[in-house]
Amino acid sequence: MSTRDFRSTRRQFLQGGAAGAALSTVARPLAAQEPPVPLEDYQAEFFDAAEWTFVMAATARLIPSEGDGPGALETRVPVFIDREMAGEFGQAATWYMEGPHQPDAAPLFGYQSPLTPAEVYRGGINAFNDWCRSEHGEDFADLDADAQDAALTALEAGDVPLDPELRDFFSLLLQNTKEGYFADPRHGGNHGMASWVHIGFPGARASFLEWTDPSKDNVAYPLGPVSIAGERA
Amino acid sequence: MAREEKRKDVVIVGLGWTGSILGIELADEGLEVLALERGPDRDTVPDFQYPDVADELRYGVRHGFMQKPKNSTITMRHNTNETALPYRQLGSYLPGDGVGGAGIHWNGHNWRAMAEEFRLRSYVEEEFGADIIPDDMTIQDWGVTYDELEPHFDRFEYMAGIAGQAGNINGEIIPGGNPFEAPRSRDFPMPPLPQTLNGRMFKEAAEAMGLHPFPRPAANASEAYVNEYGMQLGPCNYCGFCERYGCLNYSKASPQTCILDALKRRPNFSYRTHCEVLKVEKAADGKTATGVTYWDEEAGEEVFQPADLVILAAYQLHNTHLMLLSGLGEPYNPLTGEGVTGKNYSYQMTGGTGMFFEDIEFNPFVGAGSNGYCIDDYAINQIDFAAEGFIGGSYISTSQTNGQPIRSMSLPGGVPRWGAGWKEGIKKWYGHSMSIGSHGSNMSFRDCYLDLDPTYTDPHGRPLMRLTFDWKDNDIRMTQFMRRQIEPIVQSMNPTSWGSGYKQEGARYDIRPYQTTHNVGGTIMGEDPKTSVLNRYLQCWDVHNVFAMGAGAFPQNIQYNPTGVVGALAYWASEAIRKDYLPNPRPLV
């Protein structure tokens, strides 16, 4: 006869304890979940209002909504970037940041700015908006889509004058935008695993031995993605 | 003043592959063994368990299992005229930290080096003449031969449960294996892994060209297995989260899956985590070590750990750093060529060609770290160095290890880096690419070395180690030779499009993109105390109760991934310690 005490499991569940919370989300279809806070109403942890406006506008051009598949805004990439800037990555918490610094060293030496990635965003957004105002008369977010694309192209090409401390601004922005698009939704972006659906990546399934059989050569894998939290799409 | 701990017979610095091997071998001699690990404790559960470990951002991109530069890093310059700058953010190479070390996050490519590679200078001189060796190339013989190491390769492979197809058993060439490999005494302990479509395509193309493809020797299990320590492995499930991750499936050979649970049951073995060794302490006469001083992070104090035998089993860079900081061996001087510690740092010369097939679905997420076919037709013992104008070689292979989209999104040249065209391109091309790569040797040179940096310090106030390194013409000629062999194979496969990436003349070392964590040299082994730090048993020439494991012993880099040789050398050294040194501690040579 079993000696397992089911009462404690039930009690935890009813009290909404850890076990109960886990049960309520495992393998829950996406459609059944609460819609997230709209990006316009999102309370950023790191960015101020003007910076948030920029990040929304810039990521929307790096991965636009137009065409087949989701854009950065549908996948909530700005939320991802905000959380990253407030966290270890943005704060360079694991990097060697002791001086002396030579931010103008040859790029072959890697990251040499004294600034954290979060500080590079802050300084980079300011400097880039200044440039947009002087060149086009408006902040980046207020330009039309073609002018925004042209401005980002200039930033990528190094045609926007930036202090050497800020020279990695565009590459950080692009890298973090793609990370937010493709990372597991637990990190705030890739909402609905929509980028994984778009390309055909099954996420955290992590078990594919049968697909090494030659009979599966050139046969697309049939299942959609799952996330680490157990959502499926 | 440092706290002093109770004396141990053996103290081991670092609990990765070599620390675990030396730990269990010496514990089984009845010695009191203590391992000091500067990182955290780690085990399959909870650290590698499903689904949390299947997180590309956390582990693949943010390097969750790697050493943090904040705690330990190096400075780098290309030559002695430059000022070295710190490696602030991980890029070019990714040392592990914590219990298991880099042994948890490798792909499991497990090779033996060629017999010729262990006596490279002699081989070149005998076959081609000493005059083809450039004046500034400082290649050396290892002081140990393949035949001496063969039983230890065998033991490491049976301990780690390597899956593969032998090509040469006691001189008999076996079809389907690598016909150019040195003879092995018996077959692999497990049959080869199943293979993915890209591997079958490469195999067919290579065979059609008269080449000799064979499945990659894999430290990913292909069947249920129990090793000599009673540790169990189960077959790889092709999860597609191998390199940079701990194995969620007890399939990848690692200290955790192959040694540590057995070792932890030995009552005469113990280990302490978050304990970083700062220095090896020498006796007043300088001829022996008395133990090590380490930083106990939890207690927040320095501790002296007395021990009769000191095993340096940290990563190559850290072993070299510790030896430089502890005055073990004379520091190498590139101007005079004298001194030994820090000498002959070398790396790995790699290149590759990416191929895109509009109509083929590769399902790239169906991946295992060591999945893939290889050819050794352009290996170091197959090339006429005098005719080709370089010394070295490569194995050539295709692999499919993962389809993680942040890092493994290979796109043809015409696809833009962002915008609507990028979004269209990722849908069109994800899953439609494969590549063929070369993984090659890197020779050692007079001005490629490690010493202490004059400016930058670590959190303990110790100087960082300084790397002086750049690519050399010899090795660039080698990789260009490989390009000329690979591109015809690629063209014969008729891809929609393809593009090559091989270092070209004038290429300089770029520390930003990931290349390999196959840093070697610095504590090199050899036949002469004037030209090597360690003797043929990995024993420090100057201080006989210090032995240093790992790829620091390589006098130049081999054309293969280093772990198989590192494992064989660890068993070779442990046998010398057990059978020869312990009964009569002394310099063994």
Side-chain angles (χ1 to χ4, degrees):
Chain A
M1 193 178 147
S2 169
T3 56
R4 190 170 161 198
D5 180 6
F6 289 99
R7 285 169 304 176
S8 62
T9 315
R10 177 175 155 76
R11 192 163 56 242
Q12 279 181 18
F13 188 78
L14 292 175
Q15 289 170 350
L23 278 173
S24 68
T25 55
V26 164
R28 189 175 173 190
L30 278 169
Q33 295 191 4
E34 300 280 320
V37 180
L39 290 178
E40 297 72 24
D41 304 331
Y42 175 79
Q43 294 297 309
E45 284 180 68
F46 173 75
F47 292 118
D48 67 23
E51 292 162 350
W52 181 250
T53 302
F54 171 84
V55 171
M56 295 255 287
T59 57
R61 295 318 304 156
L62 295 175
I63 311 180
S65 302
E66 67 217 44
D68 188 15
L73 297 185
E74 294 78 49
T75 47
R76 299 175 68 81
V77 166
V79 174
F80 169 87
I81 296 179
D82 179 58
R83 283 172 52 172
E84 287 297 299
M85 289 308 115
E88 269 196 359
F89 177 77
Q91 305 305 311
T94 65
W95 297 3
Y96 184 84
M97 294 299 280
E98 303 300 314
H101 289 268
Q102 280 191 43
D104 56 352
L108 298 171
F109 288 93
Y111 194 87
Q112 295 297 337
S113 172
L115 306 179
T116 64
E119 290 165 340
V120 170
Y121 268 80
R122 190 146 275 164
I125 292 170
N126 266 330
F128 187 41
N129 267 333
D130 285 348
W131 182 85
C132 289
R133 279 193 299 274
S134 74
E135 293 292 312
H136 302 286
E138 289 182 293
D139 278 358
F140 176 83
D142 297 324
L143 303 176
D144 67 31
D146 287 346
Q148 286 181 335
D149 286 353
L152 286 169
T153 301
L155 182 65
E156 180 178 27
D159 295 338
V160 175
L162 290 178
D163 291 340
E165 289 82 358
L166 300 174
R167 73 178 179 194
D168 291 321
F169 173 50
F170 181 83
S171 60
L172 276 169
L173 177 64
L174 181 59
Q175 172 201 331
N176 296 148
T177 298
K178 291 180 182 177
E179 288 168 358
Y181 193 64
F182 285 134
D184 188 275
R186 62 160 41 171
H187 299 290
N190 193 12
H191 181 62
M193 294 173 274
S195 75
W196 292 350
V197 172
H198 176 56
I199 62 169
F201 175 61
R205 286 194 180 272
S207 183
F208 303 106
L209 180 58
E210 76 201 281
W211 235 254
T212 61
D213 191 277
S215 70
K216 306 298 189 200
D217 280 359
N218 210 8
V219 177
Y221 189 73
L223 304 180
V226 295
S227 71
I228 291 169
E231 305 149 307
R232 54 188 153 83
Chain B
M1 192 180 147
R3 184 179 94 218
E4 182 163 333
E5 282 280 343
K6 187 165 161 287
R7 192 193 68 83
K8 296 282 182 180
D9 296 320
V10 183
V11 65
I12 296 176
V13 181
L15 192 53
W17 265 129
T18 63
S20 299
I21 291 170
L22 272 287
I24 200 161
E25 293 297 300
L26 297 179
D28 284 352
E29 291 293 317
L31 301 176
E32 285 289 327
V33 179
L34 168 70
L36 297 172
E37 168 55 52
R38 66 182 179 178
D41 208 350
R42 288 210 171 100
D43 211 341
T44 305
V45 176
D47 302 289
F48 315 147
Q49 72 187 4
Y50 182 82
D52 284 272
V53 79
D55 187 338
E56 184 188 14
L57 184 81
R58 183 168 178 190
Y59 298 108
V61 179
R62 299 280 186 260
H63 309 124
F65 291 128
M66 312 306 179
Q67 174 190 297
K68 310 294 178 260
K70 176 186 183 170
N71 299 329
S72 176
T73 192
I74 60 159
T75 65
M76 184 278 283
R77 59 181 181 171
H78 299 90
N79 55 61
T80 53
N81 296 321
E82 280 184 348
T83 301
L85 294 174
Y87 179 49
R88 297 181 179 278
Q89 174 192 15
L90 291 178
S92 175
Y93 65 89
L94 304 171
D97 78 348
V99 170
I104 69 161
H105 64 71
W106 64 322
N107 265 325
H109 300 185
N110 193 87
W111 296 88
R112 300 180 173 198
M114 298 199 137
E116 294 81 1
E117 296 190 279
F118 291 105
R119 47 189 306 279
L120 186 65
R121 178 169 281 270
S122 296
Y123 170 71
V124 174
E125 288 179 357
E126 288 160 14
E127 292 292 319
F128 308 103
D131 57 340
I132 77 155
I133 303 175
D135 287 342
D136 63 340
M137 188 187 282
T138 49
I139 57 175
Q140 295 182 189
D141 294 357
W142 295 46
V144 64
T145 65
Y146 174 81
D147 289 344
E148 289 172 311
L149 288 178
E150 201 287 333
H152 306 284
F153 277 117
D154 180 82
R155 187 155 177 219
F156 183 72
E157 288 166 1
Y158 273 71
M159 184 274 289
I162 306 304
Q165 166 67 56
N168 181 340
I169 299 180
N170 296 316
E172 186 193 344
I173 302 301
I174 313 294
N178 178 6
F180 309 111
E181 70 179 1
R184 52 181 73 238
S185 51
R186 55 177 168 162
D187 204 345
F188 285 96
M190 285 189 232
L193 286 173
Q195 298 286 331
T196 49
L197 172 58
N198 62 306
R200 282 189 280 279
M201 288 169 58
F202 171 73
K203 176 173 187 278
E204 194 178 312
E207 278 171 347
M209 296 179 73
L211 303 169
H212 300 84
F214 58 93
R216 187 192 310 277
N220 309 150
S222 59
E223 58 184 28
Y225 188 75
V226 180
N227 77 5
E228 63 171 294
Y229 304 128
M231 299 290 293
Q232 303 172 347
L233 295 165
C236 173
N237 73 347
Y238 279 69
C239 78
F241 291 90
C242 196
E243 188 177 34
R244 306 193 183 189
Y245 303 81
C247 183
L248 55 81
N249 201 51
Y250 299 94
S251 302
K252 175 162 65 175
S254 68
Q256 276 81 354
T257 54
C258 295
I259 302 174
L260 284 170
D261 284 353
L263 178 54
K264 289 176 193 174
R265 290 193 194 107
R266 266 64 171 176
N268 50 334
F269 172 82
S270 60
Y271 68 107
R272 301 177 196 144
T273 57
H274 298 295
C275 290
E276 177 162 17
V277 173
L278 303 175
K279 194 176 178 198
V280 178
E281 304 292 350
K282 289 197 285 191
D285 67 1
K287 292 187 172 146
T288 55
T290 57
V292 300
T293 297
Y294 67 90
W295 178 255
D296 179 336
E297 193 175 303
E298 196 182 339
E301 63 180 345
E302 280 191 12
V303 180
F304 174 62
Q305 176 61 59
D308 291 345
L309 182 57
V310 176
I311 306 290
L312 302 183
Y315 190 65
Q316 169 264 356
L317 294 168
H318 313 315
N319 274 357
T320 308
H321 193 209
L322 261 184
M323 293 189 94
L324 287 166
L325 291 166
S326 307
L328 295 168
E330 189 191 336
Y332 173 67
N333 180 341
L335 298 176
T336 62
E338 290 171 358
V340 288
T341 307
K343 180 181 170 179
N344 280 22
Y345 173 90
S346 51
Y347 200 34
Q348 199 93 67
M349 178 56 87
T350 59
T353 301
M355 311 156 70
F356 299 89
F357 294 86
E358 217 162 23
D359 299 324
I360 296 180
E361 174 52 72
F362 288 100
N363 293 307
F365 41 84
V366 182
S370 298
N371 172 36
Y373 274 98
C374 308
I375 53 170
D376 239 346
D377 296 76
Y378 308 106
I380 216 159
N381 67 359
Q382 296 299 306
I383 295 172
D384 182 339
F385 298 151
E388 300 297 344
F390 64 82
I391 295 169
S394 294
Y395 74 86
I396 288 170
S397 71
T398 185
S399 64
Q400 182 167 298
T401 63
N402 77 86
Q404 299 158 43
I406 300 174
R407 293 174 304 128
S408 301
M409 180 59 78
S410 187
L411 298 171
V415 174
R417 281 175 16 108
W418 53 273
W422 178 81
K423 196 172 75 168
E424 195 182 317
I426 58 171
K427 182 175 178 66
K428 178 164 178 166
W429 293 109
Y430 179 79
H432 293 279
S433 71
M434 62 171 280
S435 68
I436 299 176
S438 63
H439 184 284
S441 56
N442 183 216
M443 296 300 112
S444 46
F445 293 88
R446 180 186 266 255
D447 63 349
C448 296
Y449 70 105
L450 297 160
D451 66 353
L452 295 176
D453 190 90
T455 305
Y456 295 94
T457 55
D458 76 2
H460 304 291
R462 304 177 301 173
L464 294 187
M465 191 162 63
R466 174 171 66 180
L467 166 64
T468 305
F469 176 74
D470 211 349
W471 301 114
K472 303 288 186 180
D473 292 347
N474 173 81
D475 297 79
I476 289 169
R477 284 195 291 272
M478 187 276 290
T479 200
Q480 286 294 324
F481 172 89
M482 297 303 156
R483 179 181 64 75
R484 295 194 299 274
Q485 315 313 314
I486 289 173
E487 287 180 350
I489 307 174
V490 165
Q491 286 168 312
S492 80
M493 294 169 72
N494 208 18
T496 312
S497 67
W498 56 275
S500 280
Y502 300 82
K503 289 181 183 66
Q504 297 177 358
E505 198 178 332
R508 304 192 65 205
Y509 177 53
D510 185 346
I511 206 163
R512 291 171 294 175
Y514 182 71
Q515 287 152 73
T516 65
T517 309
H518 304 164
N519 318 72
V520 309
T523 61
I524 65 176
M525 66 191 297
E527 296 161 323
D528 181 345
K530 288 198 176 60
T531 56
S532 57
V533 182
L534 309 174
N535 68 24
R536 67 198 304 262
Y537 301 109
L538 304 186
Q539 180 182 37
C540 183
W541 284 110
D542 294 356
V543 181
H544 68 76
N545 63 338
V546 175
F547 288 73
M549 304 296 115
F554 297 13
Q556 56 275 336
N557 209 355
I558 57 176
Q559 67 168 52
Y560 302 104
N561 312 62
T563 303
V565 177
V566 167
L569 285 174
Y571 275 114
W572 158 258
S574 72
E575 184 181 74
I577 295 169
R578 284 165 39 230
K579 294 190 175 164
D580 200 1
Y581 184 78
L582 292 175
N584 179 17
R586 69 200 188 285
L588 293 174
V589 178

